[in-house]
Amino acid sequence: MEDGAHEAHASSDEHESLAASPNHHDAEQHSCHSDDSEVENIMQEPPHPAGRDSPDLLPGPRGREPDRAAEGKDRPHTPSQLHLPAAARAQSGSRSEPRLSRRQSAEFDLSSVPISPTRPKSPWGPFDPYNNNEDQGKEYVGFATLPNQVHRKSVKKGFDFTLMVAGESGLGKSTLVNSLFLTDLYKDRKLLNAEERITQTVEITKHTVDIEEKGVKLKLTIVDTPGFGDAVNNTECWKSVADYIDQQFEQYFRDESGLNRKNIQDNRVHCCLYFISPFGHGLRPLDVEFMKALHEKVNIVPILAKADTLTPAEVKKKKFKARLIPEIEQYGIKIYQFPDCDSDEDDDFKQQDHQLKESIPFAVIGSNTVVEAKGKRVRGRLYPWGIVEVENSAHCDFVKLRNMLVRTHMQDLKDVTRETHYENYRAHCIQNMTRMVVKERNRNKLTRESGTDFPIPVVPAVGDETEKLIREKDEEVRHAEQQRDSHSQHEHECEQSAAPHENPEPPPRAETPSEQRDLSDEAL
Ligand code: GDP
């Protein structure tokens, strides 16, 4: 594997050959040449694996300048003083043109500028936002370095992402996942024959791989759904997938409400690529059922599988793209919505954002083999009539999908999972729990013929054993009260017959339920 290139800990031979592919140049372009301390390393590396020079790079969803996008979202913007003026940039970039004169270059040489003696040496080096000529004489508190601190902390911690792939078997899910992340995640996959598949139930399998690129670690989990749509009877075959997603939410909810909330493992599914067959006429009933059942639990991104089996006209025009989206809307299915871009974004950004939205459903081609096309080695599929290139935007939307998933919207997918889908689950759970507590309280009220109107959260959960004891105690209290009443009745009658003119003091009466209980306890 080449230096600095994408590194997967579950690597395989196939992966190595792919990583070495000349087309996989993004990682090479930004390889880190520094072996210095961690801080320095982090500061010298772009925070995202995004290729700075990539023509496909779409700036992130939450408005930023093009230059900043190239520098990375969290990285402080290089002060404009540190950039060469456009004219000078053009000059220095061209070999035939004369270089900058000494005087000109001294303008940009910070080492010659004395740093204010009152200001401590910055640990952020050239990425200190105050490290420019303009700020030299001024005093600052220093909180403009907060983004640096956040960046450093998150890089240290690493990132995680869980992607689910669903759809009929044979639509190219595993090939696409391997192509997307340049790993071989399906080494141990066992394919079933037709007979075995008749009664097959949907399985959920999970593969986790640790990938490292440019010093940034990503724990990638792929959740697959083998058997989905394969059986003769596929009624409710989406159920186990929905249950799996709920289980992950439940686990997270439990962990979050537990004592040790520090090291919670987040297995919530952040995105589901749903593969639609290119062979039918739009959506099949199973596709509609699946998406309807899951659209409020997970971010669904529809994928038009094996796009090389359709002509461009079929993909673009009536057949699929123009047909699938209206159908999805007609059934009230809410697929993942890309965040709107701000009105003050530049036109380039707006156009790329528009193109991305237009690409839904992404028409993709997957391949894990490297072939030679026009003297270049590319990832593609070789047919007798030609080659389809996976990473060629004229052939399919693979690059758009990968950029969206990894470079531009991974964080947004995670945010929507946390803020919308998980919040919905959590609210639903809390509602159910509250209902249960109210029911329990009402039941207790009936049993004890009493009850204090505590606010719901104050009422402690009553265990079976405690419940039993309370009932026994109530029974004893009632029995004691009856005995006491009959006893006092008897005494009263005796006294009346002995001294008819005396007026005896009445026995103490319990006013409140707790007094009743105290009195009964005394009687016991
Ligand atoms: P899965 O069962 O959905 O995981 O599908 P696989 O990834 O195992 O692919 C099934 C078959 O389809 C394999 O023979 C692949 O080589 C082939 N395949 C995968 N992706 C594509 C594609 O984009 N186009 C075409 N024509 N075939 C593909």
PDB file of all heavy atoms in Angstrom, residues 6-37:
ATOM      1  N   HIS A   6      -5.198   5.624   2.039  1.00  0.00           N
ATOM      2  CA  HIS A   6      -6.273   5.056   2.848  1.00  0.00           C
ATOM      3  C   HIS A   6      -5.870   3.677   3.356  1.00  0.00           C
ATOM      4  O   HIS A   6      -5.393   2.859   2.623  1.00  0.00           O
ATOM      5  CB  HIS A   6      -7.470   4.996   1.898  1.00  0.00           C
ATOM      6  CG  HIS A   6      -8.565   4.127   2.324  1.00  0.00           C
ATOM      7  ND1 HIS A   6      -9.778   4.634   2.666  1.00  0.00           N
ATOM      8  CD2 HIS A   6      -8.648   2.799   2.453  1.00  0.00           C
ATOM      9  CE1 HIS A   6     -10.563   3.638   2.944  1.00  0.00           C
ATOM     10  NE2 HIS A   6      -9.902   2.518   2.829  1.00  0.00           N
ATOM     11  N   GLU A   7      -6.062   3.458   4.644  1.00  0.00           N
ATOM     12  CA  GLU A   7      -5.588   2.212   5.232  1.00  0.00           C
ATOM     13  C   GLU A   7      -6.717   1.551   5.997  1.00  0.00           C
ATOM     14  O   GLU A   7      -7.297   2.126   6.901  1.00  0.00           O
ATOM     15  CB  GLU A   7      -4.459   2.577   6.189  1.00  0.00           C
ATOM     16  CG  GLU A   7      -3.778   1.398   6.807  1.00  0.00           C
ATOM     17  CD  GLU A   7      -2.765   1.895   7.814  1.00  0.00           C
ATOM     18  OE1 GLU A   7      -1.967   2.771   7.472  1.00  0.00           O
ATOM     19  OE2 GLU A   7      -2.808   1.397   8.949  1.00  0.00           O
ATOM     20  N   ALA A   8      -7.083   0.349   5.595  1.00  0.00           N
ATOM     21  CA  ALA A   8      -8.145  -0.368   6.294  1.00  0.00           C
ATOM     22  C   ALA A   8      -7.524  -1.506   7.057  1.00  0.00           C
ATOM     23  O   ALA A   8      -6.678  -2.213   6.532  1.00  0.00           O
ATOM     24  CB  ALA A   8      -9.146  -0.905   5.295  1.00  0.00           C
ATOM     25  N   HIS A   9      -7.946  -1.680   8.320  1.00  0.00           N
ATOM     26  CA  HIS A   9      -7.333  -2.716   9.119  1.00  0.00           C
ATOM     27  C   HIS A   9      -7.817  -4.103   8.745  1.00  0.00           C
ATOM     28  O   HIS A   9      -7.237  -5.082   9.115  1.00  0.00           O
ATOM     29  CB  HIS A   9      -7.540  -2.409  10.599  1.00  0.00           C
ATOM     30  CG  HIS A   9      -6.761  -1.191  10.988  1.00  0.00           C
ATOM     31  ND1 HIS A   9      -6.838  -0.636  12.218  1.00  0.00           N
ATOM     32  CD2 HIS A   9      -5.903  -0.430  10.283  1.00  0.00           C
ATOM     33  CE1 HIS A   9      -6.053   0.425  12.277  1.00  0.00           C
ATOM     34  NE2 HIS A   9      -5.485   0.570  11.099  1.00  0.00           N
ATOM     35  N   ALA A  10      -8.924  -4.169   8.026  1.00  0.00           N
ATOM     36  CA  ALA A  10      -9.377  -5.467   7.555  1.00  0.00           C
ATOM     37  C   ALA A  10      -9.021  -5.571   6.078  1.00  0.00           C
ATOM     38  O   ALA A  10      -9.822  -5.856   5.231  1.00  0.00           O
ATOM     39  CB  ALA A  10     -10.865  -5.591   7.755  1.00  0.00           C
ATOM     40  N   SER A  11      -7.799  -5.262   5.775  1.00  0.00           N
ATOM     41  CA  SER A  11      -7.423  -5.183   4.370  1.00  0.00           C
ATOM     42  C   SER A  11      -7.293  -6.566   3.750  1.00  0.00           C
ATOM     43  O   SER A  11      -7.171  -7.569   4.419  1.00  0.00           O
ATOM     44  CB  SER A  11      -6.110  -4.432   4.234  1.00  0.00           C
ATOM     45  OG  SER A  11      -5.110  -5.155   4.880  1.00  0.00           O
ATOM     46  N   SER A  12      -7.338  -6.598   2.444  1.00  0.00           N
ATOM     47  CA  SER A  12      -7.231  -7.858   1.719  1.00  0.00           C
ATOM     48  C   SER A  12      -6.396  -7.621   0.478  1.00  0.00           C
ATOM     49  O   SER A  12      -6.053  -6.505   0.146  1.00  0.00           O
ATOM     50  CB  SER A  12      -8.620  -8.306   1.312  1.00  0.00           C
ATOM     51  OG  SER A  12      -9.088  -7.380   0.363  1.00  0.00           O
ATOM     52  N   ASP A  13      -6.095  -8.697  -0.230  1.00  0.00           N
ATOM     53  CA  ASP A  13      -5.306  -8.559  -1.458  1.00  0.00           C
ATOM     54  C   ASP A  13      -6.014  -7.654  -2.449  1.00  0.00           C
ATOM     55  O   ASP A  13      -5.439  -6.783  -3.059  1.00  0.00           O
ATOM     56  CB  ASP A  13      -5.096  -9.934  -2.090  1.00  0.00           C
ATOM     57  CG  ASP A  13      -4.171 -10.747  -1.222  1.00  0.00           C
ATOM     58  OD1 ASP A  13      -3.496 -10.135  -0.361  1.00  0.00           O
ATOM     59  OD2 ASP A  13      -4.133 -11.946  -1.370  1.00  0.00           O
ATOM     60  N   GLU A  14      -7.324  -7.904  -2.551  1.00  0.00           N
ATOM     61  CA  GLU A  14      -8.107  -7.136  -3.516  1.00  0.00           C
ATOM     62  C   GLU A  14      -8.045  -5.652  -3.182  1.00  0.00           C
ATOM     63  O   GLU A  14      -7.867  -4.809  -4.023  1.00  0.00           O
ATOM     64  CB  GLU A  14      -9.555  -7.604  -3.460  1.00  0.00           C
ATOM     65  CG  GLU A  14     -10.386  -6.976  -4.528  1.00  0.00           C
ATOM     66  CD  GLU A  14     -11.818  -7.410  -4.403  1.00  0.00           C
ATOM     67  OE1 GLU A  14     -12.200  -7.883  -3.319  1.00  0.00           O
ATOM     68  OE2 GLU A  14     -12.537  -7.285  -5.372  1.00  0.00           O
ATOM     69  N   HIS A  15      -8.165  -5.400  -1.878  1.00  0.00           N
ATOM     70  CA  HIS A  15      -8.127  -4.012  -1.430  1.00  0.00           C
ATOM     71  C   HIS A  15      -6.821  -3.362  -1.810  1.00  0.00           C
ATOM     72  O   HIS A  15      -6.768  -2.266  -2.314  1.00  0.00           O
ATOM     73  CB  HIS A  15      -8.342  -3.981   0.090  1.00  0.00           C
ATOM     74  CG  HIS A  15      -8.011  -2.660   0.679  1.00  0.00           C
ATOM     75  ND1 HIS A  15      -7.442  -2.538   1.893  1.00  0.00           N
ATOM     76  CD2 HIS A  15      -8.159  -1.421   0.180  1.00  0.00           C
ATOM     77  CE1 HIS A  15      -7.252  -1.260   2.143  1.00  0.00           C
ATOM     78  NE2 HIS A  15      -7.677  -0.570   1.117  1.00  0.00           N
ATOM     79  N   GLU A  16      -5.714  -4.111  -1.611  1.00  0.00           N
ATOM     80  CA  GLU A  16      -4.419  -3.511  -1.887  1.00  0.00           C
ATOM     81  C   GLU A  16      -4.296  -3.179  -3.362  1.00  0.00           C
ATOM     82  O   GLU A  16      -3.804  -2.129  -3.738  1.00  0.00           O
ATOM     83  CB  GLU A  16      -3.309  -4.446  -1.445  1.00  0.00           C
ATOM     84  CG  GLU A  16      -3.279  -4.535   0.082  1.00  0.00           C
ATOM     85  CD  GLU A  16      -2.011  -5.114   0.608  1.00  0.00           C
ATOM     86  OE1 GLU A  16      -1.063  -5.252  -0.160  1.00  0.00           O
ATOM     87  OE2 GLU A  16      -1.985  -5.432   1.801  1.00  0.00           O
ATOM     88  N   SER A  17      -4.801  -4.071  -4.194  1.00  0.00           N
ATOM     89  CA  SER A  17      -4.679  -3.799  -5.611  1.00  0.00           C
ATOM     90  C   SER A  17      -5.521  -2.591  -6.001  1.00  0.00           C
ATOM     91  O   SER A  17      -5.139  -1.802  -6.831  1.00  0.00           O
ATOM     92  CB  SER A  17      -5.072  -5.023  -6.430  1.00  0.00           C
ATOM     93  OG  SER A  17      -6.459  -5.159  -6.412  1.00  0.00           O
ATOM     94  N   LEU A  18      -6.634  -2.436  -5.306  1.00  0.00           N
ATOM     95  CA  LEU A  18      -7.486  -1.293  -5.627  1.00  0.00           C
ATOM     96  C   LEU A  18      -6.869  -0.006  -5.129  1.00  0.00           C
ATOM     97  O   LEU A  18      -6.882   1.001  -5.813  1.00  0.00           O
ATOM     98  CB  LEU A  18      -8.878  -1.475  -4.995  1.00  0.00           C
ATOM     99  CG  LEU A  18      -9.717  -2.534  -5.656  1.00  0.00           C
ATOM    100  CD1 LEU A  18     -10.949  -2.782  -4.822  1.00  0.00           C
ATOM    101  CD2 LEU A  18     -10.102  -2.105  -7.058  1.00  0.00           C
ATOM    102  N   ALA A  19      -6.321  -0.064  -3.933  1.00  0.00           N
ATOM    103  CA  ALA A  19      -5.730   1.153  -3.369  1.00  0.00           C
ATOM    104  C   ALA A  19      -4.567   1.612  -4.229  1.00  0.00           C
ATOM    105  O   ALA A  19      -4.258   2.788  -4.299  1.00  0.00           O
ATOM    106  CB  ALA A  19      -5.275   0.899  -1.948  1.00  0.00           C
ATOM    107  N   ALA A  20      -3.933   0.658  -4.882  1.00  0.00           N
ATOM    108  CA  ALA A  20      -2.785   1.016  -5.692  1.00  0.00           C
ATOM    109  C   ALA A  20      -3.208   1.536  -7.067  1.00  0.00           C
ATOM    110  O   ALA A  20      -2.398   1.976  -7.844  1.00  0.00           O
ATOM    111  CB  ALA A  20      -1.884  -0.198  -5.868  1.00  0.00           C
ATOM    112  N   SER A  21      -4.509   1.478  -7.306  1.00  0.00           N
ATOM    113  CA  SER A  21      -5.009   1.924  -8.593  1.00  0.00           C
ATOM    114  C   SER A  21      -4.673   3.384  -8.823  1.00  0.00           C
ATOM    115  O   SER A  21      -4.817   4.228  -7.947  1.00  0.00           O
ATOM    116  CB  SER A  21      -6.532   1.723  -8.622  1.00  0.00           C
ATOM    117  OG  SER A  21      -7.111   2.690  -9.432  1.00  0.00           O
ATOM    118  N   PRO A  22      -4.188   3.720 -10.009  1.00  0.00           N
ATOM    119  CA  PRO A  22      -3.792   5.116 -10.245  1.00  0.00           C
ATOM    120  C   PRO A  22      -4.958   6.080 -10.128  1.00  0.00           C
ATOM    121  O   PRO A  22      -4.783   7.259  -9.912  1.00  0.00           O
ATOM    122  CB  PRO A  22      -3.252   5.091 -11.676  1.00  0.00           C
ATOM    123  CG  PRO A  22      -3.811   3.857 -12.300  1.00  0.00           C
ATOM    124  CD  PRO A  22      -4.037   2.894 -11.202  1.00  0.00           C
ATOM    125  N   ASN A  23      -6.133   5.564 -10.259  1.00  0.00           N
ATOM    126  CA  ASN A  23      -7.291   6.453 -10.175  1.00  0.00           C
ATOM    127  C   ASN A  23      -7.609   6.853  -8.754  1.00  0.00           C
ATOM    128  O   ASN A  23      -8.328   7.804  -8.505  1.00  0.00           O
ATOM    129  CB  ASN A  23      -8.504   5.749 -10.769  1.00  0.00           C
ATOM    130  CG  ASN A  23      -9.252   6.676 -11.667  1.00  0.00           C
ATOM    131  OD1 ASN A  23      -8.634   7.532 -12.297  1.00  0.00           O
ATOM    132  ND2 ASN A  23     -10.549   6.543 -11.703  1.00  0.00           N
ATOM    133  N   HIS A  24      -7.084   6.102  -7.846  1.00  0.00           N
ATOM    134  CA  HIS A  24      -7.378   6.410  -6.440  1.00  0.00           C
ATOM    135  C   HIS A  24      -6.324   7.375  -5.943  1.00  0.00           C
ATOM    136  O   HIS A  24      -5.519   7.083  -5.101  1.00  0.00           O
ATOM    137  CB  HIS A  24      -7.355   5.100  -5.657  1.00  0.00           C
ATOM    138  CG  HIS A  24      -7.762   5.309  -4.261  1.00  0.00           C
ATOM    139  ND1 HIS A  24      -8.986   5.785  -3.910  1.00  0.00           N
ATOM    140  CD2 HIS A  24      -7.089   5.124  -3.120  1.00  0.00           C
ATOM    141  CE1 HIS A  24      -9.058   5.880  -2.614  1.00  0.00           C
ATOM    142  NE2 HIS A  24      -7.918   5.492  -2.107  1.00  0.00           N
ATOM    143  N   HIS A  25      -6.368   8.557  -6.478  1.00  0.00           N
ATOM    144  CA  HIS A  25      -5.272   9.480  -6.209  1.00  0.00           C
ATOM    145  C   HIS A  25      -5.546  10.450  -5.092  1.00  0.00           C
ATOM    146  O   HIS A  25      -4.657  11.115  -4.627  1.00  0.00           O
ATOM    147  CB  HIS A  25      -4.930  10.250  -7.476  1.00  0.00           C
ATOM    148  CG  HIS A  25      -6.140  10.825  -8.147  1.00  0.00           C
ATOM    149  ND1 HIS A  25      -6.801  11.880  -7.653  1.00  0.00           N
ATOM    150  CD2 HIS A  25      -6.800  10.420  -9.260  1.00  0.00           C
ATOM    151  CE1 HIS A  25      -7.827  12.167  -8.439  1.00  0.00           C
ATOM    152  NE2 HIS A  25      -7.852  11.285  -9.423  1.00  0.00           N
ATOM    153  N   ASP A  26      -6.764  10.524  -4.611  1.00  0.00           N
ATOM    154  CA  ASP A  26      -7.081  11.558  -3.617  1.00  0.00           C
ATOM    155  C   ASP A  26      -6.207  11.461  -2.394  1.00  0.00           C
ATOM    156  O   ASP A  26      -5.654  12.433  -1.921  1.00  0.00           O
ATOM    157  CB  ASP A  26      -8.547  11.442  -3.181  1.00  0.00           C
ATOM    158  CG  ASP A  26      -9.463  11.685  -4.352  1.00  0.00           C
ATOM    159  OD1 ASP A  26      -9.021  12.344  -5.308  1.00  0.00           O
ATOM    160  OD2 ASP A  26     -10.591  11.220  -4.286  1.00  0.00           O
ATOM    161  N   ALA A  27      -6.097  10.231  -1.897  1.00  0.00           N
ATOM    162  CA  ALA A  27      -5.356  10.040  -0.655  1.00  0.00           C
ATOM    163  C   ALA A  27      -3.891  10.386  -0.849  1.00  0.00           C
ATOM    164  O   ALA A  27      -3.267  10.984   0.012  1.00  0.00           O
ATOM    165  CB  ALA A  27      -5.501   8.611  -0.196  1.00  0.00           C
ATOM    166  N   GLU A  28      -3.354  10.063  -2.018  1.00  0.00           N
ATOM    167  CA  GLU A  28      -1.940  10.309  -2.239  1.00  0.00           C
ATOM    168  C   GLU A  28      -1.630  11.805  -2.237  1.00  0.00           C
ATOM    169  O   GLU A  28      -0.600  12.234  -1.785  1.00  0.00           O
ATOM    170  CB  GLU A  28      -1.518   9.739  -3.595  1.00  0.00           C
ATOM    171  CG  GLU A  28      -1.673   8.244  -3.673  1.00  0.00           C
ATOM    172  CD  GLU A  28      -1.696   7.816  -5.121  1.00  0.00           C
ATOM    173  OE1 GLU A  28      -1.159   8.527  -5.966  1.00  0.00           O
ATOM    174  OE2 GLU A  28      -2.284   6.769  -5.385  1.00  0.00           O
ATOM    175  N   GLN A  29      -2.593  12.582  -2.767  1.00  0.00           N
ATOM    176  CA  GLN A  29      -2.323  13.998  -2.935  1.00  0.00           C
ATOM    177  C   GLN A  29      -2.050  14.693  -1.619  1.00  0.00           C
ATOM    178  O   GLN A  29      -1.410  15.706  -1.584  1.00  0.00           O
ATOM    179  CB  GLN A  29      -3.523  14.671  -3.600  1.00  0.00           C
ATOM    180  CG  GLN A  29      -3.614  14.305  -5.061  1.00  0.00           C
ATOM    181  CD  GLN A  29      -4.842  14.886  -5.676  1.00  0.00           C
ATOM    182  OE1 GLN A  29      -5.767  15.263  -4.984  1.00  0.00           O
ATOM    183  NE2 GLN A  29      -4.862  14.944  -6.984  1.00  0.00           N
ATOM    184  N   HIS A  30      -2.586  14.157  -0.537  1.00  0.00           N
ATOM    185  CA  HIS A  30      -2.450  14.859   0.735  1.00  0.00           C
ATOM    186  C   HIS A  30      -1.700  14.053   1.761  1.00  0.00           C
ATOM    187  O   HIS A  30      -1.917  14.188   2.924  1.00  0.00           O
ATOM    188  CB  HIS A  30      -3.840  15.231   1.261  1.00  0.00           C
ATOM    189  CG  HIS A  30      -4.561  16.061   0.293  1.00  0.00           C
ATOM    190  ND1 HIS A  30      -4.250  17.373   0.105  1.00  0.00           N
ATOM    191  CD2 HIS A  30      -5.533  15.751  -0.591  1.00  0.00           C
ATOM    192  CE1 HIS A  30      -5.021  17.864  -0.844  1.00  0.00           C
ATOM    193  NE2 HIS A  30      -5.806  16.904  -1.281  1.00  0.00           N
ATOM    194  N   SER A  31      -0.847  13.162   1.300  1.00  0.00           N
ATOM    195  CA  SER A  31      -0.161  12.320   2.277  1.00  0.00           C
ATOM    196  C   SER A  31       0.683  13.187   3.191  1.00  0.00           C
ATOM    197  O   SER A  31       1.221  14.216   2.787  1.00  0.00           O
ATOM    198  CB  SER A  31       0.694  11.277   1.569  1.00  0.00           C
ATOM    199  OG  SER A  31       1.618  11.937   0.773  1.00  0.00           O
ATOM    200  N   CYS A  32       0.709  12.774   4.449  1.00  0.00           N
ATOM    201  CA  CYS A  32       1.393  13.577   5.456  1.00  0.00           C
ATOM    202  C   CYS A  32       2.865  13.211   5.453  1.00  0.00           C
ATOM    203  O   CYS A  32       3.215  12.057   5.529  1.00  0.00           O
ATOM    204  CB  CYS A  32       0.757  13.288   6.815  1.00  0.00           C
ATOM    205  SG  CYS A  32       1.615  14.116   8.110  1.00  0.00           S
ATOM    206  N   HIS A  33       3.726  14.208   5.356  1.00  0.00           N
ATOM    207  CA  HIS A  33       5.155  13.913   5.320  1.00  0.00           C
ATOM    208  C   HIS A  33       5.802  14.139   6.664  1.00  0.00           C
ATOM    209  O   HIS A  33       6.995  14.064   6.789  1.00  0.00           O
ATOM    210  CB  HIS A  33       5.833  14.777   4.253  1.00  0.00           C
ATOM    211  CG  HIS A  33       5.223  14.580   2.922  1.00  0.00           C
ATOM    212  ND1 HIS A  33       5.333  13.393   2.245  1.00  0.00           N
ATOM    213  CD2 HIS A  33       4.462  15.390   2.155  1.00  0.00           C
ATOM    214  CE1 HIS A  33       4.675  13.488   1.097  1.00  0.00           C
ATOM    215  NE2 HIS A  33       4.129  14.691   1.025  1.00  0.00           N
ATOM    216  N   SER A  34       5.006  14.480   7.647  1.00  0.00           N
ATOM    217  CA  SER A  34       5.586  14.804   8.941  1.00  0.00           C
ATOM    218  C   SER A  34       5.426  13.664   9.921  1.00  0.00           C
ATOM    219  O   SER A  34       4.372  13.068  10.043  1.00  0.00           O
ATOM    220  CB  SER A  34       4.897  16.056   9.497  1.00  0.00           C
ATOM    221  OG  SER A  34       5.174  16.169  10.848  1.00  0.00           O
ATOM    222  N   ASP A  35       6.522  13.360  10.631  1.00  0.00           N
ATOM    223  CA  ASP A  35       6.451  12.331  11.675  1.00  0.00           C
ATOM    224  C   ASP A  35       6.527  12.979  13.043  1.00  0.00           C
ATOM    225  O   ASP A  35       6.833  12.338  14.034  1.00  0.00           O
ATOM    226  CB  ASP A  35       7.597  11.339  11.525  1.00  0.00           C
ATOM    227  CG  ASP A  35       7.313  10.399  10.383  1.00  0.00           C
ATOM    228  OD1 ASP A  35       6.139  10.024  10.210  1.00  0.00           O
ATOM    229  OD2 ASP A  35       8.251  10.063   9.671  1.00  0.00           O
ATOM    230  N   ASP A  36       6.268  14.251  13.100  1.00  0.00           N
ATOM    231  CA  ASP A  36       6.432  14.977  14.367  1.00  0.00           C
ATOM    232  C   ASP A  36       5.350  14.624  15.366  1.00  0.00           C
ATOM    233  O   ASP A  36       4.569  13.720  15.162  1.00  0.00           O
ATOM    234  CB  ASP A  36       6.434  16.487  14.095  1.00  0.00           C
ATOM    235  CG  ASP A  36       7.663  16.889  13.331  1.00  0.00           C
ATOM    236  OD1 ASP A  36       8.662  16.140  13.409  1.00  0.00           O
ATOM    237  OD2 ASP A  36       7.618  17.905  12.659  1.00  0.00           O
ATOM    238  N   SER A  37       5.287  15.414  16.447  1.00  0.00           N
ATOM    239  CA  SER A  37       4.325  15.150  17.514  1.00  0.00           C
ATOM    240  C   SER A  37       2.904  15.198  16.977  1.00  0.00           C
ATOM    241  O   SER A  37       2.641  15.742  15.904  1.00  0.00           O
ATOM    242  CB  SER A  37       4.471  16.196  18.610  1.00  0.00           C
ATOM    243  OG  SER A  37       4.012  17.411  18.092  1.00  0.00           O
TER     244      SER A  37
END
